[in-house]
Amino acid sequence: MDLAVVWKYLPVLAKGAVTTVELTALAVVFGTFLGLLIALAAISGSRVLKGCARFYTWLIRGTPLLLQLFVIYYGLPQFGLTLSPFVAAISGLSLNAAAYIAEIIRGAIQSVDKGQMEAARSIGMSNLQALLRIILPQAYRRMIPPLGNEFIALLKDSSLVATISMVDLMRTAQQMYVSTFRPVEIFAATGALYLVLTTFFTLTFGRLERKLAVYE
Amino acid sequence: MVKVKDLFKSFGDLAVLKGISFSVTQGEVVCIIGPSGGGKSTLLRCINHLEDPDSGTVEIAGQPVTTGNRGFWKKDRHLNQIRSEVGMVFQRFNLFPHRTALQNVTEGLIAVKKLPRQEAEEIGKKYLDRVGLADKLNEYPSRLSGGQQQRVAIARALAMEPKVMLFDEPTSALDPELVGEVLAVMRDLAENGMTMLAVTHELGFAREVASRILFVDDGQIVESGSPDQVLGNPSQARTANFISKVL
């Protein structure tokens, strides 16, 4: 292992890492938003909404992310919808993450004691008020640890977009390895960059968890 | 003040309420006693429609309590209005754990009555003082004893200035030495003319404070009358049997 090689290619790899961070961040935002909508559908009184939410989760969780990315990037053009690798990657990651995030949010909301909703309704709050003022603030805190896991998994799974010609950290590593033929150095540096990113996530979520624990 | 007529409620095959009718006049304190599983709590929860009765009607201060149209967003405006006029105290307190004692009390004033925060806090302090917790305004529920939590819950209900208070076994989840402080608050309310409907196992309290006692078993009112009558000289064998077991 030659450290000089690592140093030489680190800046290029870091550029790939920036793309990976961008992809993950956008997928976290879109995935969480979509996940919240799906979770609300899943706990709504409407049987239709519930069914849709359940079907979506079943479909997405039951098929590989790689397949989903392929369908979006290679499959949709057959229906006349051609997406750039970046848009395809974001769409695939967000749609995939949303299913898992929805389950996390739904679980957290349903884990809040039933008496909380009853107490809120008994002083005259509407369903929506009770959800926003009483249920969600308690559910947030319970979502944090599993969401941290989910976001870390998302960051690592984003490496799959390398297969749809998205030049992220993983794809950059492959290219560097092909052109330098120094697999050990390149992959060690790549692993180190992934570790830096996941560690950052872990620490951030740990801090968030402690901060939200005031009233315990 | 409260008029209940022909209330029926089943959970699946299990008939819990089998035609209950009674009324409570203003300032009356009615205690509901009876064995577990007899339908007491369900009856209380049907009054403000935390459970929807299968049939029958409930009226509070002349207004019918109805669940109305079951659309998710627009339903229940009428029901929310009525609920805000009916205080409810739960067996397990159900305080909001992410809010301080004061915030628990002001929550409904701000969210439902739309009072400005300052005014809500004035009212909140007044009611926490009334239940003897003026020094615990900024404590979170997890830092309070069971008795203190239940008193906050009573203050939370009182702050809405309800026309009637419903108590669902308010002392059943408390350690024995904490029961007294909650009963003292309830007694104080009763003496000040609050209309109250309480499901309770505290027969001593019922005897002293109640204007009337309903003995409920198997989904029906088996016996109703003054405390002396129902507790001292029950006319029904089931009532006598229950009382002899509890006392």
Side-chain angles (χ1 to χ4, degrees), chain B residues 18 47 86:
Chain B
K18 302 173 183 170
I47 290 175
V86 177

Side-chain angles (χ1 to χ4, degrees), chain A residues 68-145:
Chain A
Q68 293 159 14
L69 288 169
F70 278 10
V71 168
I72 290 171
Y73 188 63
Y74 298 115
L76 288 184
Q78 210 174 320
F79 299 101
L81 183 61
T82 306
L83 301 174
S84 71
F86 187 75
V87 174
I90 293 286
S91 312
L93 292 174
S94 304
L95 291 172
N96 183 271
Y100 292 92
I101 292 170
E103 284 298 286
I104 291 171
I105 295 176
R106 182 184 64 82
I109 289 177
Q110 288 181 339
S111 79
V112 174
D113 182 50
K114 234 180 77 212
Q116 292 291 309
M117 186 52 126
E118 292 187 347
R121 297 305 306 275
S122 80
I123 53 175
M125 283 193 204
S126 68
N127 258 333
L128 187 64
Q129 278 181 320
L131 186 71
L132 294 179
R133 299 183 66 102
I134 305 301
I135 308 297
L136 278 181
Q138 294 179 58
Y140 286 141
R141 213 175 32 91
R142 300 179 197 187
M143 292 174 201
I144 298 300

Side-chain angles (χ1 to χ4, degrees), chain A residues 43-46 113-129 132-135 137-138 214-216, chain B residues 45 48 50 72-73 75-76 79-80 83-84 86 88 90 94-99 107-108 110-112 114 140 142 156 160:
Chain A
I43 59 167
S44 76
S46 154
D113 182 50
K114 234 180 77 212
Q116 292 291 309
M117 186 52 126
E118 292 187 347
R121 297 305 306 275
S122 80
I123 53 175
M125 283 193 204
S126 68
N127 258 333
L128 187 64
Q129 278 181 320
L132 294 179
R133 299 183 66 102
I134 305 301
I135 308 297
Q138 294 179 58
V214 260
Y215 60 80
E216 293 279 290
Chain B
R45 293 160 57 83
N48 67 351
L50 281 181
F72 182 79
W73 295 111
K75 77 172 172 198
D76 291 354
L79 181 58
N80 293 340
R83 277 176 174 159
S84 73
V86 177
M88 176 121 186
F90 299 87
N94 296 346
L95 289 183
F96 308 132
H98 60 305
R99 301 273 200 255
E107 189 64 33
I110 293 170
V112 179
K114 312 285 180 203
Y140 283 98
S142 60
R156 174 174 70 181
M160 300 298 288

Side-chain angles (χ1 to χ4, degrees), chain B:
Chain B
M1 185 57 73
V2 179
K3 245 186 215 154
V4 173
K5 210 175 161 205
D6 292 329
L7 223 48
F8 282 84
K9 173 74 183 174
S10 304
F11 295 109
D13 289 337
L14 183 71
V16 182
L17 300 182
K18 302 173 183 170
I20 289 207
S21 304
F22 68 95
S23 54
V24 181
T25 57
Q26 175 136 22
E28 218 181 355
V29 177
V30 174
C31 284
I32 303 173
I33 63 169
S36 311
K40 308 183 299 293
S41 285
T42 307
L43 169 59
L44 204 65
R45 293 160 57 83
C46 279
I47 290 175
N48 67 351
H49 276 226
L50 281 181
E51 303 287 355
D52 290 333
D54 297 335
S55 66
T57 56
V58 177
E59 249 179 53
I60 289 174
Q63 287 181 292
V65 185
T66 53
T67 310
N69 181 353
R70 272 271 159 202
F72 182 79
W73 295 111
K74 59 177 181 176
K75 77 172 172 198
D76 291 354
R77 190 158 301 163
H78 166 73
L79 181 58
N80 293 340
Q81 163 67 28
I82 290 192
R83 277 176 174 159
S84 73
E85 295 168 6
V86 177
M88 176 121 186
V89 175
F90 299 87
Q91 183 177 357
R92 304 181 44 80
F93 328 139
N94 296 346
L95 289 183
F96 308 132
H98 60 305
R99 301 273 200 255
T100 62
L102 182 60
Q103 287 168 340
N104 262 278
V105 180
T106 57
E107 189 64 33
L109 299 173
I110 293 170
V112 179
K113 287 199 165 175
K114 312 285 180 203
L115 296 184
R117 180 170 303 273
Q118 217 176 351
E119 194 179 332
E121 283 180 356
E122 291 299 313
I123 298 174
K125 282 177 192 162
K126 187 177 98 186
Y127 282 101
L128 279 172
D129 185 39
R130 178 149 179 211
V131 298
L133 291 172
D135 56 335
K136 302 285 183 191
L137 299 181
N138 298 315
E139 294 287 0
Y140 283 98
S142 60
R143 303 274 310 268
L144 300 173
S145 74
Q148 291 169 336
Q149 288 188 53
Q150 192 61 299
R151 285 188 280 151
V152 173
I154 293 173
R156 174 174 70 181
L158 286 179
M160 300 298 288
E161 292 175 344
K163 293 177 174 149
V164 51
M165 287 281 288
L166 308 178
F167 293 86
D168 187 5
E169 302 194 26
T171 58
S172 297
L174 295 176
D175 292 337
E177 77 270 23
L178 302 177
V179 169
E181 62 190 71
V182 172
L183 292 183
V185 169
M186 290 170 66
R187 186 171 293 134
D188 174 57
L189 282 179
E191 282 164 5
N192 283 291
M194 176 63 77
T195 309
M196 291 164 60
L197 193 50
V199 171
T200 183
H201 291 298
E202 298 290 334
L203 297 191
F205 171 81
R207 183 193 294 275
E208 276 177 58
V209 177
S211 18
R212 194 148 48 95
I213 290 183
L214 306 179
F215 176 74
V216 172
D217 187 17
D218 196 25
Q220 287 168 319
I221 296 176
V222 176
E223 188 162 354
S224 135
S226 71
D228 285 343
Q229 218 177 315
V230 176
L231 297 177
N233 187 21
S235 64
Q236 301 290 322
R238 269 195 282 177
T239 318
N241 188 21
F242 171 76
I243 291 166
S244 70
K245 275 187 200 152
V246 175
L247 287 181

Side-chain angles (χ1 to χ4, degrees), chain A residues 18-41:
Chain A
V18 169
T19 306
T20 288
V21 169
E22 282 171 5
L23 283 173
T24 309
L26 286 170
V28 161
V29 171
F30 293 134
T32 305
F33 181 69
L34 188 58
L36 180 63
L37 293 183
I38 297 169
L40 290 179

